[in-house]
Amino acid sequence: VRAVTTGYLLAPQVPLIFMGEEWGTRQPFLFFSDVDAEFAEIIKANRRDRFGSAVLPARKDAAAPEAMAETTFMASKLDWSELDRPEHGGVLDFYAALIAVRQAEIAPRLAGLGGHAGCYELGSRRGHFRVRWRLNDGSRLELGANLADNPADGLALQAGRELWREGDIAGTRLGPWSVRWSLATETAA
């Protein structure tokens, strides 16, 4: 989870964090809505047609939560007291550290960045890849990743200042579930 999280918080696109994810909430998010009766019926019919009776049931023998019910909304509200527990504070610290790296190192280089600024290379194993982005100031942001259970070799990682590392990385060998983010300037390239 940590390796994948770096992917959407450090990559150049707009990062999206789902409610409570940044502290590892255990609170479920159930689909809920508060619309007029006509639109509510359309939503109910679409959900019934698409998912049948198995729309996110808590148990296989339980009915799906009613999207228009206030109880469904209330069951989805965050439990902010979770932040007082150490296991949630550690997740929040992790997200805060990644966002700080993004704010200091990546966001200032994104202004005016157009499309097609990135390229990728696949490694020898499934889940093993490298992505590079040419940023607006001429620097290159690189993600070297192995999002698999086994080590992978062969993709040379760029020289440059390391911004973030998760997992075991040595030379071209990336251990299971490991990522390395680096930034290279023209002079360091």
Side-chain angles (χ1 to χ4, degrees), residues 44-172:
K44 287 178 188 178
N46 284 338
R47 287 173 56 79
R48 190 173 41 252
D49 291 346
R50 184 158 193 204
F51 301 109
S53 62
V55 181
L56 301 175
R59 300 181 329 260
K60 289 184 184 212
D61 61 339
E66 171 55 53
M68 305 309 147
E70 185 176 354
T71 55
T72 303
F73 167 71
M74 296 305 288
S76 298
K77 290 185 86 170
L78 290 173
D79 177 5
W80 292 90
S81 70
E82 285 182 328
L83 284 169
D84 297 331
R85 297 185 207 130
E87 66 271 18
H88 296 286
V91 176
L92 185 60
D93 291 344
F94 172 67
Y95 272 74
L98 282 168
I99 291 168
V101 168
R102 178 183 181 81
Q103 182 178 15
E105 302 288 349
I106 299 167
R109 296 173 165 89
L110 298 179
L113 187 65
H116 307 288
C119 61
Y120 69 94
E121 181 180 352
L122 298 177
S124 59
R125 293 178 175 256
R126 185 179 210 163
H128 182 217
F129 59 92
R130 177 177 62 201
V131 183
R132 288 184 176 161
W133 295 268
R134 168 101 32 209
L135 303 180
N136 228 22
D137 65 352
S139 62
R140 286 188 321 274
L141 177 66
E142 180 183 83
L143 163 63
N146 178 21
L147 303 180
D149 290 333
N150 298 308
D153 259 304
L155 289 178
L157 302 178
Q158 78 178 352
R161 189 165 43 89
E162 187 171 277
L163 300 178
W164 197 274
R165 173 189 293 235
E166 286 291 324
D168 180 32
I169 300 170
T172 64

